[in-house]
Amino acid sequence: MNTTRHWPKRAFILSRALSRAFSDTPSPTFPLKHVTRSNFDSALVELRSHVRAADFVAIDMEMTGVTSAPWRESFEFDRFDIRYLKVKDSAEKFAVLQFGVCPFRWDSLKQSFIAHPHNFFVFPRQEIPLDRTSYEFLCQTTSMDFLAKYQFDFNACIHEGISYLSRGQEDEARKRLISPKGDQLTHLSHNLRETMDLPLVRVADVLFTERMKKRLGEWRDDLLQNRVGGPQEEKVPDDLNQQFRTVFFKMRPALSLDGFTSHQLSLIRMVTRKHFKDLTYVCFNGESTSEELVVYTDSESDKARLMEEVKNDHQRRAEMKINAAVGFRHVIDLLSSENKLIVGHNCILDIAHVHSKFLAPLPSTAEEFVSCVNKYFPSIIDTKILLNADYTLQRKMKRSSTSLSSAFSLLCPEIAHGFRRNVLSYEPCVKVEVHVDEMRSSNWNSGAKHEAGYDAFMTGCVFAQACSHLGIDFQLHSPSENLTENEKLQKHMNLLYLSWINEDIIDLRTGNRSAELSGSNMIRKPYRKILFKNIVLLWGFPSKLKPSMIRDCICKTLGPSSVISTYCIDQTAVFVQFSKAELASDFLNLKETLEQSNDAISHLHPLSQLLEGGNTRAASYETYKEICASPISKVLFADQAEAVGIKWKTELLPSDKEESHDNTRSHLESAMDSPQAVQKSKTRNTEDVVNDSSNKRFCDDIIDSFLKVEKIRRTTNL
């Protein structure tokens, strides 16, 4: 007897859904438009129509790396402007290998979004000569390994990747085209400038010029005779027949020169200019090859017309070459000109790459950066902002699972796993149908994960679902409605996470740090407030010292509550956060004094362990910004600081530089006292400090220790 009929109907439906979800038979593969150099032009035409009809466009990128050194990772102690400098460094040093673009259009008849995912292979190839000899970029091993794990096609990227020019590079190329130095690009030097006579110092050159003079004269005379008496048979040596060939150029008879060296061509050009007024030397660049010609002209005016035609041809071909070299930036220009809503996931680095690669070099400040970005892309949404702006979505995302793949799997299971959501849940789901060329699909597997085109598609799906949670009903959406003007999205527009770790949000309209999102503090633990004026940067200390040991050294000197925390930048550097700004100043001042002294007190001081070796450097937080702003990339922070050119051992704060050496010495001798006593020591003289009982005990301890060391030394010597 079949017991299935006795199951509850809902359980039966559930079992069938699960069997389909976990079946060994794969669902249809995801339809993705792969674009390389070979099909870029046709794909761009299609993409243009899709973008113009789209309600929003999702983007994503695959890069060769993220951080150029461990100390350039995002830290808790990074100030807002430092976080931008680290994003800037990443965008400048690494390359974009894939760029995903996925336009989404709402179809009111199907009550579904229609997505057109495009996966562009991009490679920074130099197509035209510019000032730089070649492109250079870094590769981070973890990133490259990650791409290889997901079967990234490196051969397709390198050999068939679409090159590009930024707006600045295009402007430079066009200036070179119209400037006198533009000959290097247009190859007009032979045609538009007088060529200086070459010195005929070799007998071979003299003989060659006489031979060419005779050959060109015979060819011209034959042309003139043919005009009057009809064609006659040419009698020339066989070797010359191999190198000269009569053709027509711009409706004029011409000799095509083949098989000559560049030096010989220069001699022919000189002979033509000096001895033949009705012959003109022309260098013509075709589609794939260049051709050297000697052209016959009837008159000076005909010669001038010929040169103008040649110049215009070169100009037109050079402009076509520049337009072709612009390459993938045509896609960026399309997204900018259509003024569509751009959607990304945690996309500050993506936007920085767009600026660096396709617009202009990244500026030194966040304010300048956002000014340019807002000019070209005035409407950007970060889905990570949306996921953390709504408490319901936060709970659904299980607090920390806000990665793109997690968000896609949780919010869009019907799309991600291929089963119907209404079987397992009563929550509404925004439908999405994919169109690629003639292929349409609404059921597929996610085998293309971590390809930029597929990740852009996932980003768009997450955005659509998040909008639904925010109360945006796409079923009421009309084609004329612009999502950039939607009131429910406006408060989230142009806000990007500059740092997800510390919830630093940058406002692309102002460049300032945005207020914390409503609802985000419900889930994530609050980080302690950091006072950057209380921070001292230390590097170059002995490698045996750990951050905890450094903290103990300082606390023994300035008191147990003087240091709030130490933060490891890398094995060569740490941040020390003091409880008061005055203590940070006192520490720098004390370190300077100890390094200038060479007595028993200095060697037995608790800080001597930190200063051992004489290479320990200390500075305020502003020095950290200076080091981060440098384009130099060293693996170790201490090496980076030296490469930047920071040579001094201690950077004293301005107020500390005015203190006298006597007061500093007093502070040294009272260093084991409490922080309050440290502050008072600034106004005491040396005699007052010696008379103080607590400091007297400290001095006695140091003297006793010194005597013990001296006794041991003498005993050992005996």
Side-chain angles (χ1 to χ4, degrees):
M1 181 179 179
N2 190 352
T3 58
T4 304
R5 68 182 64 177
H6 299 291
W7 288 7
K9 185 176 181 180
R10 184 176 299 175
F12 177 70
I13 297 174
L14 176 61
S15 67
R16 294 190 60 185
L18 291 175
S19 66
R20 287 197 302 270
F22 297 102
S23 172
D24 293 333
T25 304
S27 56
T29 57
F30 182 81
L32 194 63
K33 177 87 171 182
H34 292 286
V35 185
T36 61
R37 286 195 297 176
S38 59
N39 64 336
F40 175 67
D41 291 338
S42 59
L44 182 60
V45 173
E46 295 176 6
L47 181 65
R48 184 172 285 111
S49 63
H50 295 322
V51 169
R52 286 173 177 170
D55 293 287
F56 66 92
V57 180
I59 64 170
D60 189 84
M61 301 177 203
E62 297 295 341
M63 309 148 190
T64 61
V66 179
T67 51
S68 59
W71 59 269
R72 287 197 186 269
E73 297 280 354
S74 182
F75 295 148
E76 178 186 345
F77 277 74
D78 287 343
R79 199 169 60 194
F80 185 75
D81 51 348
I82 303 294
R83 300 189 196 284
Y84 168 73
L85 291 176
K86 290 188 174 183
V87 170
K88 175 178 180 288
D89 177 81
S90 179
E92 290 173 339
K93 288 186 170 61
F94 295 100
V96 174
L97 299 182
Q98 271 187 351
F99 200 114
V101 180
C102 188
F104 282 75
R105 175 182 60 84
W106 178 255
D107 189 325
S108 56
L109 295 178
K110 295 185 176 182
Q111 292 293 290
S112 170
F113 272 110
I114 308 299
H116 300 273
H118 290 67
N119 191 54
F120 292 89
F121 284 92
V122 182
F123 193 75
R125 191 181 302 101
Q126 187 161 343
E127 302 286 358
I128 59 175
L130 294 171
D131 288 343
R132 67 176 77 184
T133 56
S134 62
Y135 289 98
E136 295 180 351
F137 57 84
L138 297 181
C139 292
Q140 193 173 4
T141 54
T142 52
S143 296
M144 303 302 283
D145 184 62
F146 175 84
L147 292 176
K149 177 183 177 182
Y150 288 96
Q151 292 80 47
F152 183 89
D153 194 339
F154 290 98
N155 282 328
C157 179
I158 295 172
H159 296 297
E160 288 296 321
I162 308 157
S163 60
Y164 54 84
L165 292 178
S166 69
R167 289 175 180 265
Q169 290 170 331
E170 182 188 3
D171 291 342
E172 176 190 343
R174 295 195 182 280
K175 288 177 182 177
R176 289 164 63 89
L177 175 65
I178 63 176
S179 70
K181 294 182 180 179
D183 321 309
Q184 298 175 3
L185 182 62
T186 60
H187 302 288
L188 289 174
S189 56
H190 300 338
N191 307 311
L192 304 182
R193 296 188 302 174
E194 289 292 325
T195 304
M196 299 295 294
D197 290 346
L198 298 176
L200 302 178
V201 295
R202 298 188 304 169
V203 175
D205 289 348
V206 175
L207 294 176
F208 181 81
T209 54
E210 289 298 321
R211 185 185 180 193
M212 292 301 103
K213 179 180 176 182
K214 179 182 178 182
R215 178 69 184 91
L216 293 175
E218 290 176 350
W219 178 76
R220 183 199 57 182
D221 292 342
D222 286 342
L223 287 176
L224 296 176
Q225 289 177 10
N226 290 340
R227 277 187 168 187
V228 178
Q232 297 182 5
E233 184 180 353
E234 277 192 281
K235 296 180 180 180
V236 295
D238 291 338
D239 59 340
L240 286 181
N241 274 328
Q242 299 296 325
Q243 295 178 302
F244 290 100
R245 183 168 52 91
T246 300
V247 296
F248 278 88
F249 179 74
K250 302 290 184 183
M251 304 298 292
R252 299 172 179 86
L255 268 182
S256 175
L257 308 177
D258 186 30
F260 293 100
T261 67
S262 58
H263 178 67
Q264 289 174 333
L265 290 172
S266 297
L267 293 174
I268 295 175
R269 185 166 59 252
M270 181 185 71
V271 169
T272 303
R273 181 178 57 81
K274 289 182 62 176
H275 300 286
F276 300 97
K277 293 184 177 180
D278 49 2
L279 297 183
T280 303
Y281 188 96
V282 172
C283 175
F284 177 75
N285 290 319
E287 292 293 336
S288 57
T289 60
S290 61
E291 191 173 6
E292 310 286 334
L293 301 163
V294 175
V295 184
Y296 174 79
T297 53
D298 287 331
S299 60
E300 286 296 325
S301 59
D302 185 37
K303 185 176 183 179
R305 284 194 299 272
L306 171 65
M307 297 309 298
E308 186 66 23
E309 291 172 9
V310 171
K311 177 182 177 181
N312 292 338
D313 280 350
H314 278 290
Q315 191 90 359
R316 183 169 57 255
R317 290 184 181 277
E319 289 180 351
M320 291 174 60
K321 196 169 185 178
I322 292 174
N323 288 333
V326 168
F328 181 76
R329 210 206 70 230
H330 286 302
V331 175
I332 304 300
D333 291 344
L334 169 64
L335 298 180
S336 174
S337 62
E338 293 301 323
N339 198 22
K340 296 295 182 178
L341 175 63
I342 304 298
V343 179
H345 185 82
N346 201 19
C347 58
I348 181 65
L349 185 56
D350 294 339
I351 301 301
H353 271 289
V354 169
H355 191 298
S356 176
K357 304 295 188 297
F358 309 114
L359 301 181
L362 285 164
S364 57
T365 66
E367 291 78 10
E368 296 174 276
F369 164 70
V370 301
S371 176
C372 182
V373 170
N374 199 248
K375 174 183 177 182
Y376 292 106
F377 301 100
S379 304
I380 299 176
I381 285 283
D382 188 340
T383 53
K384 200 142 187 168
I385 293 286
L386 293 184
L387 295 179
N388 287 278
D390 182 76
Y391 183 64
T392 303
L393 281 175
Q394 284 186 346
R395 294 187 62 183
K396 181 178 289 293
M397 295 304 300
K398 298 179 181 178
R399 302 187 178 185
S400 60
S401 300
T402 54
S403 68
L404 177 59
S405 57
S406 296
F408 181 60
S409 180
L410 289 170
L411 297 182
C412 314
E414 180 179 347
I415 304 172
H417 304 296
F419 57 75
R420 294 188 178 279
R421 188 183 183 121
N422 57 9
V423 173
L424 302 178
S425 172
Y426 293 103
E427 296 180 11
C429 178
V430 178
K431 295 181 180 179
V432 178
E433 184 175 310
V434 174
H435 288 193
V436 173
D437 295 332
E438 300 302 321
M439 185 187 301
R440 298 185 180 187
S441 179
S442 59
N443 186 26
W444 50 79
N445 63 29
S446 55
K449 188 181 296 183
H450 297 301
E451 284 192 295
Y454 185 77
D455 287 358
F457 167 76
M458 288 197 297
T459 300
C461 292
V462 169
F463 169 73
Q465 192 61 42
C467 286
S468 178
H469 277 274
L470 293 175
I472 299 175
D473 189 352
F474 290 110
Q475 294 183 0
L476 303 178
H477 181 74
S478 65
S480 60
E481 184 180 350
N482 192 339
L483 279 180
T484 61
E485 300 174 358
N486 188 285
E487 293 182 0
K488 295 180 180 179
L489 288 177
Q490 277 295 320
K491 60 182 179 180
H492 308 299
M493 198 86 67
N494 294 318
L495 299 179
L496 305 183
Y497 274 114
L498 191 57
S499 170
W500 165 243
I501 295 176
N502 278 5
E503 294 188 336
D504 262 347
I505 299 172
I506 186 171
D507 190 334
L508 293 183
R509 293 160 292 197
T510 63
N512 298 327
R513 183 175 182 174
S514 177
E516 189 174 285
L517 291 173
S518 60
S520 62
N521 57 351
M522 302 178 189
I523 296 296
R524 304 196 59 199
K525 64 177 183 179
Y527 284 89
R528 58 177 175 270
K529 184 177 182 180
I530 297 174
L531 298 176
F532 295 101
K533 63 181 180 179
N534 294 11
I535 292 178
V536 168
L537 172 66
L538 285 175
W539 73 94
F541 45 80
S543 58
K544 63 183 179 182
L545 292 182
K546 306 301 180 186
S548 59
M549 300 170 67
I550 294 174
R551 176 174 183 165
D552 291 342
C553 290
I554 298 174
C555 287
K556 288 179 181 178
T557 303
L558 299 179
S561 61
S562 58
V563 176
I564 295 177
S565 63
T566 54
Y567 190 93
C568 182
I569 298 174
D570 69 3
Q571 64 205 65
T572 67
V574 297
F575 285 128
V576 179
Q577 184 178 18
F578 290 89
S579 57
K580 295 181 180 180
E582 294 83 354
L583 291 175
S585 177
D586 291 342
F587 170 77
L588 294 173
N589 199 35
L590 176 59
K591 175 182 177 295
E592 176 77 3
T593 302
L594 285 171
E595 288 174 327
Q596 292 176 358
S597 304
N598 192 26
D599 52 20
I601 295 179
S602 299
H603 288 292
L604 296 174
H605 194 277
L607 285 183
S608 62
Q609 187 180 10
L610 177 61
L611 306 180
E612 181 183 339
N615 295 319
T616 303
R617 304 290 194 265
S620 65
Y621 193 85
E622 292 306 316
T623 299
Y624 178 58
K625 178 180 179 180
E626 179 183 350
I627 294 172
C628 288
S630 172
I632 301 171
S633 277
K634 298 292 183 180
V635 175
L636 297 179
F637 185 87
D639 295 338
Q640 174 79 6
E642 183 178 355
V644 171
I646 298 176
K647 302 295 184 183
W648 34 256
K649 290 187 176 181
T650 308
E651 180 202 32
L652 297 178
L653 299 177
S655 59
D656 295 331
K657 293 179 181 179
E658 300 174 358
E659 292 183 4
S660 66
H661 178 74
D662 288 340
N663 287 342
T664 305
R665 183 68 177 180
S666 299
H667 176 74
L668 169 63
E669 296 179 347
S670 63
M672 284 298 291
D673 212 2
S674 64
Q676 291 79 6
V678 171
Q679 181 65 25
K680 293 178 181 178
S681 68
K682 295 182 179 180
T683 58
R684 295 178 182 174
N685 56 34
T686 304
E687 183 178 355
D688 293 334
V689 175
V690 172
N691 291 333
D692 185 272
S693 60
S694 61
N695 286 301
K696 188 173 186 303
R697 286 195 304 272
F698 172 60
C699 292
D700 291 340
D701 291 340
I702 291 180
I703 293 173
D704 290 340
S705 299
F706 174 75
L707 291 175
K708 290 179 182 179
V709 172
E710 184 67 16
K711 183 178 180 179
I712 294 172
R713 186 184 65 81
R714 290 181 179 180
T715 303
T716 304
N717 290 340
L718 292 175

